[in-house]
Amino acid sequence: MADITHPPMEQLQDLEYCIDSNPPWAETILLAFQNYILMLGTNVMIPSLIVPAMGGDNGDKARVIQTLLFVAGLNTLLQALFGTRLPAVVGGSFAYVIPIAYIVGDSSLQRISDSHERFLHTMRAIQGALIVASSIQIILGYSQIWGLLSRFFSPLGMAPVVGLVGLGLFQRGFPVLGECVEIGLPMLILVIGLSQYLKHVRPFRDLPIFERFPVLICVTIVWIYSVILTASGAYRNKPMKTQISCRTDRANLITTAPWFKFPYPLQWGPPTFSAGHSFAMMAAVLVSMVESTGAYKAASRLAIATPPPAYVLSRGIGWQGIGVLLNGLFGTSTGATVAVENVGLLGLTRVGSRRVVQISAGFMIFFSTLGKFGAVFASIPIPIFAAIYCVLFGLVASVGLSFLQFTNMNSMRNLIITGLSLFLGLSIPQFFNEYWNPARRGLVHTNSEWFNAFLNTIFSSPVTVALVVAVFLDNTLEVEKSKKDRGMPWWVKFRTFRGDNRNEEFYTLPFNLNRFFPPT
């Protein structure tokens, strides 16, 4: 034992700025802008998939993207100020795609012949479903029920859950990169080269620019390269799928986006409500809640904070429910969740500052109102983002696996739980995804469409499946005998807000609000 040089550590030691320490202002602003650029990938991709299916044109798509970015800025700011207070960006979520596809395919909406009218009525139906479904997160969060449930979590149970927050997104990595390999592969090599091999090179003063701003530098270089390829006619006679993935002028966002547009609630008209739509959407809300819980655990570790106590976790889930409600009121076409890529960026840049994320929320709000300027950045080809995801999703996955250091991995019980939850967490969603498409509606296809969408959504989420398997096994197999092996002696002090005196430093509400909302 005397030869062990790397004992288990509650907090990472090689990050330069923690949650409540801040880089110089110029560096902070550039880091915030880098966070904004990174979150564009998912928040442009989701409306680009959903809006055409709803009957919307390019102008509608541009407005939905603007609205989604605007609400993402609001949600990020609310979460950083009053929620978990972790440096986590809250944006759009792919967890809502299956329920939304169910709503889009509703026969009453499909009968509308005019495409624009069908888009408006579909958007209102999605809004109504989001507004009703948001109540699940709001209730589970503010009632502290989710916090009580989190007391069944252990380091052993959370390791595969947080790990699959990153690993479960593998289909958005190299498969998307490969859709335009001449752009994506150079981007991947460049990101790894600058952020890892050249991170100690400091051409300007003592600032490690390659480690701090790899996304900004690499995106700029490869984006210019892709513009040159597009302008030179390299994709002129290529298949349509290649042109959509590679060209910088195929999205039609810049030409269709207004110069100035301020998103406002109910801008698409009054929401419509349907019990079936709402029940289907509740599955996505539950999935996004589980995924966000894993992302919060990863963000706390990468921000050199203690694991969020049950009270703080519930508070964050409650505010995320408010975020889903805002998504429904404004009409963003999807709900809210923590952006995993931005969590990974905390580790890549070694900066876990809360202020950086708060300022990035300002960039989201600002550029979403200036449509043309925001559309310029939103026109970056998706394979460029996919290359970054390969690095950042992998980093988040490894953070999840780092929780295993607090457990006894020489225990056959622990090995079985970890392996089974990781394998089933990947295998079951893959099985369900193979059967899902908008026409067949998934593996579960009873006469009740909302029931189909509910179950297909739950079992298509790697993180949700891993949570069910890992937490169930961890709390039913030789529980009393294995407390120490599960890592509970380390975890138990972080269950309550007052269990560790560092919690006050990281999670206390601003503006002296703790007087009115005392932690438990």
Side-chain angles (χ1 to χ4, degrees), residues 366-385:
F366 177 74
F367 283 112
S368 66
T369 58
L370 298 178
K372 296 287 186 186
F373 291 98
V376 170
F377 299 116
S379 66
I380 299 171
I382 296 300
I384 291 179
F385 291 106

Side-chain angles (χ1 to χ4, degrees), residues 228-302:
I228 294 171
L229 287 178
T230 300
S232 65
Y235 305 112
R236 192 166 297 148
N237 299 316
K238 297 292 183 180
M240 183 59 66
K241 184 177 180 180
T242 301
Q243 294 198 37
I244 292 172
S245 299
C246 300
R247 293 182 68 103
T248 57
D249 59 356
R250 290 297 301 180
N252 295 318
L253 293 177
I254 300 174
T255 55
T256 55
W259 280 104
F260 178 83
K261 185 71 177 180
F262 195 87
Y264 55 91
L266 309 184
Q267 59 186 334
W268 310 106
T272 57
F273 299 93
S274 162
H277 294 169
S278 300
F279 277 116
M281 196 65 76
M282 285 178 185
V285 169
L286 291 172
V287 166
S288 69
M289 181 172 64
V290 173
E291 292 175 347
S292 294
T293 298
Y296 288 138
K297 298 285 187 183
S300 65
R301 189 152 179 79
L302 289 172

